[in-house]
Amino acid sequence: MPAVDVAIIGGGGAGLTAAIYAARARRDVVVFERKLTGGQIATTDAVENFPGFPRGVNGFDLGQLMLEQAERFGARMVYEDVTALRRLAGGRFALEAAGETYEARTVIVTAGAEYNRLGVPGEERLTGRGVSYCATCDAAFFKDMDVVVVGGGDAAMDEGLFLTRYARSVRVIHRRDQLRASALLQERAFASPKMSFIWDTVVEQINGDEAVESVDVRNLKTGERTTLATAAVFVFIGQTPNSGLLRGLVDLDPGGHAIVDLQMRTNVPGLFVAGDVRTLAARQLISAAGDGATAAISAERYLQELDAAAAK
């Protein structure tokens, strides 16, 4: 098949926004998505911090609206997993998906990241019903309620402190006897009258029928098991970027995120990275969309340069 102008790997907020911008520039655009259109936001019941929806919007519905907008301008979806990505001798890119090879003049990788999960009973079933991986997104749903945070790093303390603006109490469950967060965040957390800490403890099960009601925890030193009532479980034990395709191709930071400049350019000409898979991402839908727009604009400038050079 002839090479497409822009191949986008990932159909979340960043990828679909990139598709809208690239397709509106009258480029031939293909978006590869292995799971659910809309990415992580599609599993969120109510999105209340995305501009333009003063009463909130269902995450799945928002993803479908983005898809409809991208397809309206001519972007095409391929619901397959891209298993290999390489740069060809002439500067174009080859993508392998479902046994087929696709060629692209430029590639925008918006494959996102996966929140590290506890892997305990009840977690998957109650995700979006009290189990959350984003306090900024969901804290307001638990105003004047008791919640727990699992984790001890910067993200756990930062998001836990954000939760104190809404929740009645925030109990931090950490498997060690001291935090890994920066000294400043620790000081703020310990100083908060709403935050308390349960040390040397792990969550073994999350309970509830239609929503989270409690967690079963175990002390790692004594073996004692306890059930704690809670309205929500916020899990902050790290995030793993979906950057496997980029290893050995572009520069990555120690956490596996792609290193990009402000234009979402990697060290490989014609290859752009946007959203949660890039370094220093804000991990919000609105910032992912902004990244996607920036990447598409950069890709368009790159294509214009190629076209001008070819015309000469």
Side-chain angles (χ1 to χ4, degrees), residues 104-180:
R105 300 174 69 197
T106 64
V107 173
I108 302 174
V109 177
T110 59
E114 303 289 342
Y115 292 112
N116 294 341
R117 301 192 173 228
L118 297 171
V120 301
E123 180 179 20
E124 183 175 350
R125 180 174 59 84
L126 293 169
T127 293
R129 300 179 178 182
V131 174
S132 174
Y133 305 88
C134 177
T136 309
C137 309
D138 298 329
F141 295 117
F142 302 98
K143 183 176 174 60
D144 297 326
M145 299 183 189
D146 300 314
V147 304
V148 301
V149 165
V150 183
D154 282 355
M157 293 307 100
D158 197 27
E159 301 275 314
L161 286 164
F162 185 86
L163 279 165
T164 62
R165 304 181 191 182
Y166 297 91
R168 178 170 54 199
S169 71
V170 178
R171 285 176 289 185
V172 178
I173 300 173
H174 188 39
R175 65 183 302 116
R176 298 179 177 84
D177 59 3
Q178 59 184 355
L179 301 175
R180 295 176 289 106

Side-chain angles (χ1 to χ4, degrees), residues 8-22 29 31-44 47 50-51 53 58-70 75 77 108-113 115 242 264 273-278 281 283-296:
I8 300 170
I9 303 175
L16 292 175
T17 303
I20 292 167
Y21 273 73
V29 180
V31 182
F32 294 88
E33 172 53 48
R34 63 176 178 168
K35 290 182 180 179
L36 186 63
T37 301
Q40 290 181 356
I41 204 67
T43 64
T44 302
V47 180
F50 195 81
F53 298 92
N58 177 270
F60 178 82
D61 293 342
L62 181 57
Q64 293 305 301
L65 288 171
M66 290 180 173
L67 171 63
E68 181 182 337
Q69 192 171 1
M77 296 294 297
I108 302 174
V109 177
T110 59
Y115 292 112
N242 296 319
M264 303 299 135
V273 176
D276 288 2
V277 72
R278 76 166 175 92
R283 294 183 297 185
Q284 296 294 307
L285 176 60
I286 187 63
S287 58
D291 279 3
T294 299

Side-chain angles (χ1 to χ4, degrees), residues 183-205:
L184 180 60
L185 283 174
Q186 289 195 43
E187 289 173 8
R188 291 175 178 170
F190 291 141
S192 172
K194 286 189 175 183
M195 292 185 77
S196 60
F197 298 82
I198 303 174
W199 306 106
D200 303 311
T201 298
V202 294
V203 173
E204 293 194 318
Q205 183 165 307

Side-chain angles (χ1 to χ4, degrees), residues 18-29 69-70 72-75:
I20 292 167
Y21 273 73
R24 285 189 76 247
R26 296 295 186 264
R27 296 296 182 177
D28 186 15
V29 180
Q69 192 171 1
R72 174 191 164 201
F73 294 114

